[in-house]
Coordinates of all heavy atoms in Angstrom, one line a residue:
M1 N 103.9 102.5 109.8 CA 105.2 102.9 110.5 C 106.1 103.6 109.5 O 106.4 103.0 108.4 CB 105.9 101.7 111.2 CG 107.1 102.1 111.8 SD 107.8 100.6 112.6 CE 109.2 101.3 113.4
Q2 N 106.5 104.8 109.8 CA 107.4 105.4 108.9 C 108.9 105.3 109.4 O 109.1 105.4 110.6 CB 107.1 106.9 108.7 CG 105.8 107.1 107.9 CD 105.6 108.6 107.6 OE1 106.1 109.4 108.3 NE2 104.9 108.8 106.5
Q3 N 109.8 105.1 108.5 CA 111.2 105.1 108.9 C 111.7 106.5 108.9 O 111.4 107.3 108.1 CB 111.9 104.3 107.9 CG 113.4 104.3 108.0 CD 113.9 103.6 109.3 OE1 113.2 102.7 109.7 NE2 115.0 104.0 109.8
E4 N 112.5 106.9 109.9 CA 113.1 108.2 110.0 C 114.5 108.1 109.4 O 115.2 107.2 109.5 CB 113.2 108.7 111.4 CG 111.8 109.0 112.0 CD 111.9 109.8 113.2 OE1 113.0 110.3 113.6 OE2 110.8 110.0 113.9
S5 N 114.8 109.2 108.6 CA 116.2 109.3 108.1 C 117.1 109.9 109.1 O 116.7 110.2 110.2 CB 116.1 110.2 106.8 OG 115.9 111.5 107.3
N6 N 118.4 110.0 108.8 CA 119.3 110.6 109.8 C 119.0 112.0 110.1 O 119.4 112.5 111.2 CB 120.7 110.5 109.2 CG 121.2 109.0 109.1 OD1 120.7 108.2 109.8 ND2 122.1 108.8 108.2
T7 N 118.3 112.7 109.3 CA 117.9 114.1 109.6 C 116.7 114.2 110.4 O 116.3 115.3 110.8 CB 117.7 114.9 108.3 OG1 116.6 114.3 107.6 CG2 118.9 114.8 107.4
G8 N 116.0 113.1 110.7 CA 114.8 113.1 111.5 C 113.5 113.2 110.7 O 112.4 113.1 111.2
A9 N 113.6 113.5 109.4 CA 112.4 113.6 108.5 C 112.0 112.2 108.1 O 112.8 111.3 108.0 CB 112.8 114.4 107.3
A10 N 110.7 112.1 107.9 CA 110.1 110.8 107.4 C 110.7 110.4 106.1 O 110.8 111.3 105.2 CB 108.6 110.8 107.4
R11 N 111.1 109.2 105.9 CA 111.6 108.7 104.6 C 110.5 108.6 103.6 O 109.6 107.9 103.9 CB 112.4 107.4 104.8 CG 113.0 106.9 103.5 CD 113.7 105.6 103.8 NE 114.1 105.0 102.6 CZ 115.1 104.2 102.4 NH1 115.9 104.0 103.4 NH2 115.4 103.7 101.2
G12 N 110.6 109.2 102.5 CA 109.6 109.0 101.5 C 110.2 109.5 100.2 O 111.3 109.9 100.0
T13 N 109.3 109.6 99.2 CA 109.7 110.1 97.9 C 109.4 111.5 97.8 O 108.8 112.1 98.7 CB 108.9 109.3 96.8 OG1 107.5 109.5 97.0 CG2 109.2 107.8 96.9
T14 N 109.8 112.2 96.7 CA 109.6 113.6 96.6 C 108.1 114.0 96.5 O 107.7 115.1 96.7 CB 110.3 114.1 95.3 OG1 109.9 113.4 94.2 CG2 111.8 114.0 95.5
D15 N 107.2 113.0 96.1 CA 105.8 113.3 96.0 C 105.1 113.0 97.3 O 103.8 113.1 97.3 CB 105.2 112.5 94.8 CG 105.1 111.0 95.0 OD1 105.7 110.5 96.1 OD2 104.6 110.3 94.2
G16 N 105.8 112.7 98.3 CA 105.2 112.5 99.6 C 104.8 111.1 100.0 O 104.3 110.8 101.1
S17 N 104.9 110.2 99.0 CA 104.5 108.8 99.3 C 105.7 108.1 100.0 O 106.8 108.5 99.9 CB 104.1 108.1 98.0 OG 105.3 108.0 97.1
A18 N 105.3 107.0 100.7 CA 106.4 106.3 101.4 C 107.1 105.4 100.4 O 106.6 104.9 99.4 CB 105.7 105.4 102.5
S19 N 108.3 105.1 100.8 CA 109.2 104.1 100.0 C 109.6 103.0 100.9 O 109.7 103.2 102.1 CB 110.4 104.8 99.4 OG 111.2 105.3 100.5
P20 N 109.8 101.8 100.4 CA 110.2 100.7 101.2 C 111.6 100.9 101.9 O 112.4 101.6 101.3 CB 110.3 99.5 100.2 CG 110.0 100.1 98.9 CD 109.8 101.5 99.0
V21 N 111.7 100.3 103.1 CA 113.0 100.3 103.8 C 113.3 98.8 104.1 O 112.5 98.0 104.2 CB 112.9 101.1 105.1 CG1 112.7 102.6 104.8 CG2 111.9 100.6 106.0
S22 N 114.6 98.6 104.3 CA 115.0 97.2 104.6 C 114.6 96.9 106.1 O 114.6 97.8 107.0 CB 116.6 97.2 104.6 OG 117.1 96.0 105.2
W23 N 114.3 95.7 106.3 CA 113.9 95.2 107.7 C 115.1 95.5 108.7 O 114.9 95.7 109.9 CB 113.5 93.8 107.7 CG 114.6 92.8 107.3 CD1 114.9 92.4 106.1 CD2 115.6 92.2 108.1 NE1 116.0 91.5 106.1 CE2 116.4 91.4 107.3 CE3 115.9 92.3 109.5 CZ2 117.5 90.7 107.8 CZ3 117.0 91.6 110.0 CH2 117.8 90.8 109.2
K24 N 116.3 95.6 108.1 CA 117.5 95.8 109.0 C 117.5 97.2 109.5 O 118.2 97.5 110.5 CB 118.8 95.6 108.2 CG 118.9 94.1 107.8 CD 120.1 94.0 106.9 CE 120.2 92.6 106.3 NZ 121.3 92.4 105.3
Q25 N 116.8 98.1 108.9 CA 116.7 99.5 109.3 C 115.6 99.8 110.3 O 115.5 100.9 110.8 CB 116.5 100.4 108.1 CG 117.7 100.4 107.2 CD 117.4 101.2 105.9 OE1 116.4 101.0 105.2 NE2 118.3 102.1 105.6
V26 N 114.7 98.8 110.5 CA 113.5 99.0 111.4 C 113.8 98.6 112.8 O 114.3 97.5 113.0 CB 112.3 98.3 110.8 CG1 111.1 98.4 111.8 CG2 112.0 98.8 109.4
R27 N 113.6 99.4 113.8 CA 113.7 99.1 115.2 C 112.4 99.4 115.9 O 111.9 100.5 115.8 CB 114.9 99.9 115.8 CG 116.3 99.6 115.3 CD 116.7 98.2 115.7 NE 118.0 97.9 115.2 CZ 118.3 97.2 114.1 NH1 117.3 96.8 113.3 NH2 119.5 96.9 113.6
L28 N 111.9 98.5 116.6 CA 110.7 98.7 117.4 C 111.2 99.0 118.8 O 111.7 98.2 119.6 CB 109.8 97.4 117.4 CG 109.4 96.9 116.1 CD1 108.7 95.6 116.2 CD2 108.5 98.0 115.4
A29 N 111.0 100.3 119.2 CA 111.5 100.7 120.5 C 110.5 100.5 121.7 O 111.0 100.3 122.8 CB 111.8 102.2 120.4
E30 N 109.2 100.5 121.4 CA 108.2 100.3 122.4 C 106.9 99.9 121.8 O 106.8 99.9 120.6 CB 108.1 101.6 123.2 CG 107.7 102.8 122.4 CD 107.6 104.1 123.1 OE1 108.5 104.3 124.0 OE2 106.7 104.8 122.9
G31 N 106.0 99.6 122.6 CA 104.6 99.3 122.2 C 104.3 97.8 122.0 O 105.2 97.0 122.4
F32 N 103.2 97.5 121.5 CA 102.7 96.2 121.3 C 103.7 95.3 120.6 O 104.0 94.2 121.0 CB 101.3 96.1 120.7 CG 100.8 94.8 120.4 CD1 100.3 94.0 121.5 CD2 100.9 94.2 119.2 CE1 99.8 92.7 121.2 CE2 100.4 92.9 118.9 CZ 99.9 92.2 120.0
L33 N 104.1 95.7 119.4 CA 105.0 94.8 118.6 C 106.3 94.6 119.3 O 106.9 93.5 119.2 CB 105.2 95.4 117.2 CG 103.9 95.4 116.3 CD1 104.2 96.0 115.0 CD2 103.4 94.0 116.1
R34 N 106.9 95.6 120.0 CA 108.1 95.4 120.7 C 107.9 94.4 121.8 O 108.8 93.6 122.1 CB 108.6 96.8 121.2 CG 109.9 96.6 122.0 CD 111.0 96.0 121.2 NE 112.2 95.9 122.0 CZ 113.3 95.2 121.6 NH1 113.3 94.7 120.4 NH2 114.3 95.1 122.4
E35 N 106.8 94.5 122.5 CA 106.5 93.5 123.5 C 106.4 92.1 123.0 O 106.9 91.2 123.6 CB 105.1 93.9 124.2 CG 105.2 95.1 125.1 CD 103.8 95.5 125.6 OE1 102.9 94.7 125.6 OE2 103.7 96.7 126.0
R36 N 105.8 91.9 121.8 CA 105.7 90.6 121.2 C 107.1 90.1 120.8 O 107.4 89.0 120.9 CB 104.8 90.7 119.9 CG 103.4 91.0 120.2 CD 102.5 90.0 120.8 NE 102.9 89.2 121.9 CZ 102.7 89.6 123.2 NH1 102.1 90.7 123.5 NH2 103.1 88.8 124.2
Q37 N 107.9 91.1 120.3 CA 109.3 90.7 119.9 C 110.1 90.2 121.1 O 110.8 89.2 121.1 CB 110.0 92.0 119.3 CG 111.1 91.7 118.4 CD 111.5 93.0 117.7 OE1 111.6 94.1 118.4 NE2 111.8 93.0 116.5
N38 N 109.9 90.9 122.3 CA 110.6 90.5 123.5 C 110.1 89.1 124.0 O 110.9 88.3 124.4 CB 110.4 91.5 124.6 CG 111.2 92.7 124.4 OD1 112.3 92.7 123.7 ND2 110.8 93.9 124.9
V39 N 108.8 88.8 123.9 CA 108.2 87.5 124.3 C 108.8 86.4 123.4 O 109.2 85.4 123.9 CB 106.7 87.5 124.2 CG1 106.2 86.1 124.4 CG2 106.1 88.4 125.3
N40 N 108.9 86.7 122.1 CA 109.5 85.7 121.2 C 110.9 85.5 121.6 O 111.4 84.3 121.6 CB 109.4 86.2 119.8 CG 108.0 86.1 119.2 OD1 107.2 85.3 119.7 ND2 107.7 86.9 118.2
R41 N 111.7 86.5 121.8 CA 113.1 86.4 122.1 C 113.3 85.7 123.5 O 114.1 84.7 123.6 CB 113.8 87.7 122.2 CG 115.2 87.7 122.5 CD 115.8 89.1 122.3 NE 115.2 90.1 123.2 CZ 115.5 90.3 124.5 NH1 116.5 89.6 125.0 NH2 114.9 91.2 125.2
V42 N 112.6 86.0 124.5 CA 112.8 85.5 125.9 C 112.1 84.2 126.1 O 112.7 83.3 126.8 CB 112.4 86.6 126.9 CG1 112.5 86.1 128.3 CG2 113.2 87.9 126.7
V43 N 110.9 84.0 125.6 CA 110.2 82.8 126.0 C 110.1 81.8 124.8 O 110.4 80.6 124.9 CB 108.7 83.2 126.4 CG1 107.9 82.0 126.7 CG2 108.8 84.2 127.6
T44 N 109.6 82.3 123.7 CA 109.3 81.4 122.6 C 110.5 80.7 122.0 O 110.4 79.4 121.8 CB 108.5 82.1 121.4 OG1 107.4 82.8 122.0 CG2 108.1 81.2 120.4
L45 N 111.6 81.4 121.8 CA 112.7 80.7 121.2 C 113.3 79.6 122.1 O 113.7 78.6 121.6 CB 113.8 81.8 120.9 CG 113.5 82.7 119.7 CD1 114.6 83.8 119.6 CD2 113.3 82.0 118.4
K46 N 113.3 79.9 123.4 CA 113.7 78.9 124.3 C 112.8 77.7 124.3 O 113.2 76.5 124.3 CB 113.8 79.5 125.7 CG 114.1 78.5 126.9 CD 115.5 78.1 126.9 CE 115.8 77.3 128.2 NZ 116.0 75.9 128.0
A47 N 111.5 77.9 124.3 CA 110.5 76.8 124.3 C 110.6 76.0 123.1 O 110.5 74.8 123.1 CB 109.1 77.4 124.5
E48 N 110.8 76.7 121.9 CA 111.0 75.9 120.7 C 112.3 75.1 120.7 O 112.2 73.9 120.3 CB 111.1 76.9 119.5 CG 109.8 77.5 119.1 CD 109.9 78.6 118.0 OE1 111.0 78.8 117.6 OE2 108.8 79.1 117.6
Y49 N 113.4 75.6 121.2 CA 114.6 74.8 121.4 C 114.3 73.6 122.2 O 114.8 72.5 121.9 CB 115.7 75.7 121.9 CG 117.0 74.8 122.0 CD1 117.8 74.7 120.9 CD2 117.3 74.2 123.2 CE1 119.0 73.9 121.0 CE2 118.5 73.4 123.3 CZ 119.3 73.3 122.2 OH 120.4 72.5 122.3
D50 N 113.7 73.8 123.4 CA 113.4 72.7 124.3 C 112.6 71.6 123.6 O 112.9 70.4 123.8 CB 112.7 73.2 125.5 CG 113.5 74.0 126.4 OD1 114.8 74.0 126.3 OD2 112.9 74.7 127.3
Q51 N 111.6 72.0 122.8 CA 110.8 71.0 122.0 C 111.7 70.3 121.0 O 111.5 69.1 120.8 CB 109.6 71.7 121.4 CG 108.6 70.8 120.8 CD 107.9 70.0 121.9 OE1 107.9 70.3 123.1 NE2 107.4 68.8 121.5
L52 N 112.5 71.0 120.3 CA 113.4 70.4 119.3 C 114.3 69.4 120.0 O 114.6 68.3 119.4 CB 114.3 71.5 118.6 CG 113.5 72.4 117.6 CD1 114.4 73.5 117.2 CD2 112.9 71.7 116.5
E53 N 114.8 69.7 121.1 CA 115.7 68.8 121.9 C 114.9 67.6 122.4 O 115.3 66.5 122.3 CB 116.3 69.6 123.0 CG 117.5 68.9 123.6 CD 118.3 69.8 124.5 OE1 117.7 70.4 125.5 OE2 119.5 70.0 124.3
K54 N 113.7 67.9 122.9 CA 112.9 66.8 123.5 C 112.5 65.8 122.4 O 112.4 64.6 122.7 CB 111.6 67.4 124.1 CG 110.6 66.5 124.7 CD 109.4 67.2 125.3 CE 108.3 66.3 125.7 NZ 107.2 67.0 126.2
T55 N 112.2 66.2 121.2 CA 111.8 65.3 120.1 C 112.9 64.8 119.3 O 112.7 64.1 118.3 CB 110.8 66.1 119.2 OG1 111.4 67.2 118.7 CG2 109.5 66.5 120.0
G56 N 114.2 65.0 119.7 CA 115.3 64.4 119.0 C 115.8 65.1 117.8 O 116.8 64.7 117.2
R57 N 115.3 66.3 117.5 CA 115.7 67.0 116.3 C 117.1 67.6 116.4 O 117.9 67.6 115.5 CB 114.7 68.1 115.9 CG 113.5 67.5 115.3 CD 112.4 68.6 115.3 NE 111.1 68.1 114.7 CZ 110.2 67.4 115.2 NH1 110.3 66.9 116.5 NH2 109.1 67.1 114.5
I58 N 117.5 68.0 117.7 CA 118.8 68.6 117.9 C 119.8 67.4 117.8 O 120.9 67.6 117.2 CB 118.9 69.3 119.2 CG1 117.9 70.5 119.2 CG2 120.3 69.7 119.6 CD1 118.2 71.6 118.2
D59 N 119.5 66.3 118.4 CA 120.4 65.1 118.3 C 120.6 64.7 116.9 O 121.7 64.4 116.5 CB 119.9 64.0 119.1 CG 120.1 64.1 120.6 OD1 121.0 65.0 121.0 OD2 119.5 63.4 121.4
A60 N 119.6 64.8 116.1 CA 119.7 64.4 114.7 C 120.6 65.4 114.0 O 121.4 65.0 113.1 CB 118.3 64.4 114.0
L61 N 120.5 66.7 114.3 CA 121.4 67.7 113.7 C 122.8 67.4 114.1 O 123.7 67.6 113.2 CB 120.9 69.1 114.2 CG 121.8 70.3 113.7 CD1 121.6 70.5 112.2 CD2 121.4 71.5 114.5
R62 N 123.1 67.0 115.3 CA 124.4 66.7 115.7 C 124.9 65.4 115.2 O 126.1 65.0 115.5 CB 124.4 66.7 117.3 CG 124.2 68.1 117.8 CD 124.2 68.1 119.4 NE 124.0 69.4 119.9 CZ 123.4 69.7 121.0 NH1 123.0 68.7 121.8 NH2 123.3 70.9 121.4
G63 N 124.1 64.6 114.6 CA 124.5 63.3 114.1 C 124.5 62.2 115.2 O 125.1 61.2 115.0
K64 N 123.8 62.5 116.3 CA 123.8 61.6 117.4 C 122.7 60.5 117.4 O 122.8 59.5 118.0 CB 123.8 62.3 118.7 CG 125.0 63.1 119.0 CD 124.9 63.8 120.4 CE 126.2 64.6 120.7 NZ 126.1 65.2 122.0
W65 N 121.7 60.8 116.6 CA 120.5 59.9 116.6 C 120.9 58.6 115.7 O 121.5 58.8 114.7 CB 119.3 60.5 116.0 CG 118.1 59.5 116.0 CD1 117.3 59.3 117.1 CD2 117.7 58.7 115.0 NE1 116.4 58.3 116.8 CE2 116.6 57.9 115.5 CE3 118.2 58.4 113.7 CZ2 116.0 56.9 114.7 CZ3 117.5 57.4 112.9 CH2 116.4 56.7 113.5
Q66 N 120.6 57.5 116.2 CA 120.9 56.2 115.6 C 119.6 55.5 115.3 O 118.7 55.5 116.1 CB 121.8 55.3 116.4 CG 123.2 55.9 116.8 CD 124.0 56.1 115.5 OE1 124.1 55.2 114.7 NE2 124.8 57.2 115.5
P67 N 119.5 54.8 114.1 CA 118.3 54.0 113.9 C 118.0 53.1 115.0 O 118.9 52.5 115.6 CB 118.7 53.2 112.6 CG 119.7 54.0 111.9 CD 120.5 54.7 113.1
G68 N 116.7 53.1 115.4 CA 116.3 52.3 116.5 C 116.3 53.1 117.8 O 115.9 52.6 118.9
G69 N 116.9 54.3 117.8 CA 117.0 55.1 119.0 C 115.7 55.8 119.3 O 114.8 55.7 118.6
R70 N 115.7 56.4 120.5 CA 114.6 57.1 121.0 C 114.3 58.3 120.2 O 115.2 59.0 119.6 CB 114.9 57.5 122.4 CG 113.8 57.9 123.2 CD 114.2 58.1 124.7 NE 113.4 59.2 125.2 CZ 113.9 60.2 125.9 NH1 115.1 60.2 126.3 NH2 113.1 61.2 126.3
H71 N 113.1 58.7 120.0 CA 112.6 59.9 119.3 C 113.1 60.0 117.9 O 113.9 60.9 117.5 CB 113.1 61.2 120.0 CG 112.5 61.3 121.4 ND1 111.1 61.3 121.6 CD2 113.1 61.4 122.6 CE1 110.9 61.4 122.9 NE2 112.1 61.5 123.5
K72 N 112.7 59.0 117.1 CA 113.1 59.1 115.7 C 112.6 60.4 115.0 O 111.4 60.6 115.1 CB 112.5 57.9 114.9 CG 112.9 57.9 113.4 CD 112.2 56.7 112.7 CE 112.6 56.8 111.2 NZ 111.9 55.7 110.5
P73 N 113.5 61.2 114.4 CA 113.0 62.4 113.8 C 112.1 62.1 112.7 O 112.3 61.2 111.9 CB 114.3 63.1 113.4 CG 115.4 62.3 114.0 CD 114.9 61.0 114.3
H74 N 111.1 63.0 112.5 CA 110.2 62.8 111.4 C 110.9 63.2 110.1 O 112.0 63.8 110.1 CB 108.8 63.5 111.6 CG 108.9 65.0 111.6 ND1 108.9 65.7 110.4 CD2 109.0 65.9 112.6 CE1 109.0 67.0 110.7 NE2 109.0 67.1 112.0
H75 N 110.2 63.0 109.0 CA 110.8 63.3 107.7 C 111.4 64.7 107.5 O 112.4 64.9 106.8 CB 109.8 62.9 106.6 CG 110.3 62.9 105.2 ND1 111.2 62.0 104.7 CD2 110.1 63.8 104.2 CE1 111.5 62.3 103.5 NE2 110.8 63.4 103.1
Y76 N 110.7 65.7 108.0 CA 111.1 67.1 107.8 C 111.8 67.7 109.0 O 111.7 68.9 109.2 CB 109.9 67.9 107.4 CG 109.2 67.4 106.2 CD1 108.0 66.8 106.2 CD2 109.9 67.5 104.9 CE1 107.4 66.3 105.1 CE2 109.3 67.1 103.8 CZ 108.0 66.4 103.9 OH 107.4 66.0 102.7
W77 N 112.4 66.9 109.8 CA 113.0 67.4 111.1 C 114.0 68.5 110.8 O 114.1 69.5 111.6 CB 113.7 66.3 111.9 CG 115.0 65.8 111.2 CD1 115.1 64.8 110.3 CD2 116.3 66.3 111.3 NE1 116.4 64.6 109.9 CE2 117.1 65.6 110.5 CE3 116.8 67.4 112.0 CZ2 118.5 65.8 110.3 CZ3 118.2 67.6 111.9 CH2 119.0 66.9 111.1
D78 N 114.8 68.5 109.7 CA 115.8 69.5 109.4 C 115.2 70.8 109.2 O 115.8 71.9 109.5 CB 116.7 69.0 108.3 CG 116.0 68.7 107.0 OD1 114.8 68.4 107.1 OD2 116.7 68.6 106.0
S79 N 114.0 70.9 108.5 CA 113.5 72.2 108.3 C 112.9 72.8 109.6 O 113.0 74.1 109.7 CB 112.3 72.1 107.2 OG 111.2 71.4 107.7
D80 N 112.5 72.0 110.5 CA 112.1 72.6 111.8 C 113.3 73.2 112.5 O 113.2 74.3 113.1 CB 111.6 71.5 112.7 CG 110.3 70.8 112.2 OD1 109.6 71.5 111.4 OD2 110.0 69.7 112.6
V81 N 114.4 72.6 112.5 CA 115.6 73.2 113.1 C 116.1 74.4 112.3 O 116.4 75.4 112.9 CB 116.8 72.1 113.2 CG1 118.1 72.8 113.7 CG2 116.4 70.9 114.0
A82 N 116.0 74.4 111.0 CA 116.4 75.5 110.2 C 115.5 76.7 110.5 O 116.0 77.9 110.6 CB 116.4 75.2 108.7
K83 N 114.2 76.5 110.7 CA 113.3 77.6 111.0 C 113.7 78.2 112.3 O 113.6 79.5 112.5 CB 111.9 77.1 110.9 CG 111.4 76.8 109.6 CD 110.0 76.2 109.6 CE 109.6 75.5 108.3 NZ 108.4 74.7 108.4
W84 N 114.0 77.4 113.3 CA 114.4 77.9 114.6 C 115.7 78.7 114.5 O 115.8 79.8 115.1 CB 114.6 76.8 115.6 CG 115.0 77.2 116.9 CD1 114.2 77.8 117.9 CD2 116.3 77.3 117.4 NE1 115.0 78.1 119.0 CE2 116.3 77.8 118.7 CE3 117.6 76.9 116.9 CZ2 117.5 78.0 119.5 CZ3 118.7 77.0 117.7 CH2 118.6 77.6 118.9
I85 N 116.7 78.2 113.7 CA 117.9 78.9 113.6 C 117.7 80.3 112.9 O 118.2 81.3 113.3 CB 118.9 78.1 112.7 CG1 119.4 76.9 113.6 CG2 120.1 79.0 112.3 CD1 120.2 75.9 112.8
E86 N 116.8 80.3 111.9 CA 116.4 81.6 111.2 C 115.8 82.6 112.2 O 116.1 83.8 112.2 CB 115.5 81.3 110.1 CG 115.1 82.6 109.3 CD 114.1 82.3 108.2 OE1 113.5 81.2 108.2 OE2 114.1 83.1 107.3
A87 N 114.9 82.1 113.1 CA 114.2 82.9 114.1 C 115.3 83.5 115.0 O 115.2 84.7 115.4 CB 113.1 82.2 114.8
V88 N 116.2 82.7 115.5 CA 117.2 83.2 116.4 C 118.1 84.2 115.7 O 118.4 85.2 116.3 CB 118.1 82.0 116.9 CG1 119.3 82.5 117.6 CG2 117.3 81.1 117.8
A89 N 118.4 84.0 114.4 CA 119.3 85.0 113.7 C 118.5 86.3 113.6 O 119.2 87.4 113.8 CB 119.6 84.4 112.3
Y90 N 117.3 86.3 113.2 CA 116.5 87.6 113.2 C 116.5 88.2 114.5 O 116.6 89.5 114.6 CB 115.1 87.3 112.7 CG 115.0 87.2 111.1 CD1 114.6 86.1 110.5 CD2 115.3 88.4 110.4 CE1 114.5 86.0 109.1 CE2 115.2 88.3 109.0 CZ 114.8 87.1 108.4 OH 114.7 87.1 107.0
S91 N 116.3 87.5 115.6 CA 116.2 88.0 116.9 C 117.6 88.7 117.3 O 117.6 89.7 117.9 CB 115.9 86.9 117.9 OG 115.9 87.4 119.2
L92 N 118.7 88.0 116.9 CA 120.0 88.6 117.3 C 120.3 89.9 116.5 O 121.1 90.7 117.0 CB 121.1 87.5 117.0 CG 121.1 86.4 117.9 CD1 122.1 85.3 117.5 CD2 121.4 86.8 119.3
V93 N 119.6 90.1 115.4 CA 119.8 91.4 114.7 C 119.4 92.5 115.6 O 120.0 93.6 115.7 CB 119.1 91.4 113.3 CG1 119.1 92.8 112.7 CG2 119.8 90.4 112.4
T94 N 118.2 92.4 116.2 CA 117.7 93.5 117.0 C 118.1 93.4 118.4 O 118.2 94.5 119.1 CB 116.1 93.4 117.0 OG1 115.7 92.2 117.5 CG2 115.6 93.6 115.6
D95 N 118.4 92.3 119.0 CA 118.9 92.2 120.4 C 120.0 91.2 120.4 O 119.8 90.0 120.7 CB 117.7 91.6 121.2 CG 116.6 92.6 121.3 OD1 116.7 93.6 122.0 OD2 115.6 92.4 120.6
P96 N 121.2 91.6 120.2 CA 122.4 90.7 120.2 C 122.9 90.3 121.5 O 123.9 90.6 122.0 CB 123.5 91.5 119.4 CG 123.1 93.0 119.7 CD 121.6 93.0 119.8
D97 N 122.0 89.5 122.2 CA 122.3 89.1 123.5 C 122.5 87.6 123.5 O 122.3 86.8 124.2 CB 121.3 89.5 124.6 CG 119.9 89.0 124.2 OD1 119.7 88.4 123.2 OD2 119.0 89.4 125.0

């Protein structure tokens, strides 16, 4: 995939080779990858949140879980929540809904 500059020309170096672009400059307007992006945004992120909530990770983040309580979070519960937050943040960059 080539990134287009403001002039409409493909972004590259003077010798014709491609140069890296920031992920913030890339927009998937259509096609397979855009469809996957939409599924992740609409379905997967919600399903992941539901699972985090069901297993007590969201309560642990809120400080509501107490020892002896239901759904004791496993040792790495916080990284699971952090990964979900990161996924949501990336999704909001392309679709701020």
Side-chain angles (χ1 to χ4, degrees):
M1 178 178 184
Q2 289 188 335
Q3 172 69 30
E4 292 195 9
S5 68
N6 292 336
T7 63
R11 179 179 170 149
T13 61
T14 56
D15 67 359
S17 63
S19 62
V21 296
S22 168
W23 62 269
K24 295 174 188 174
Q25 296 174 306
V26 176
R27 296 288 181 263
L28 303 172
E30 59 186 39
F32 176 78
L33 292 178
R34 180 58 183 169
E35 291 172 18
R36 298 285 48 89
Q37 207 174 39
N38 285 335
V39 168
N40 284 338
R41 181 175 57 85
V42 175
V43 178
T44 307
L45 291 175
K46 172 77 169 108
E48 288 177 354
Y49 180 85
D50 291 345
Q51 191 65 24
L52 292 171
E53 200 167 54
K54 179 180 172 182
T55 58
R57 287 165 174 82
I58 298 298
D59 282 344
L61 177 68
R62 293 179 177 148
K64 293 183 177 181
W65 184 83
Q66 298 294 321
R70 194 172 145 222
H71 298 303
K72 179 181 177 183
H74 69 83
H75 187 68
Y76 300 109
W77 70 268
D78 55 342
S79 67
D80 294 339
V81 176
K83 289 173 194 172
W84 177 81
I85 291 171
E86 181 181 22
V88 169
Y90 277 115
S91 178
L92 287 173
V93 168
T94 57
D95 295 284
D97 56 2

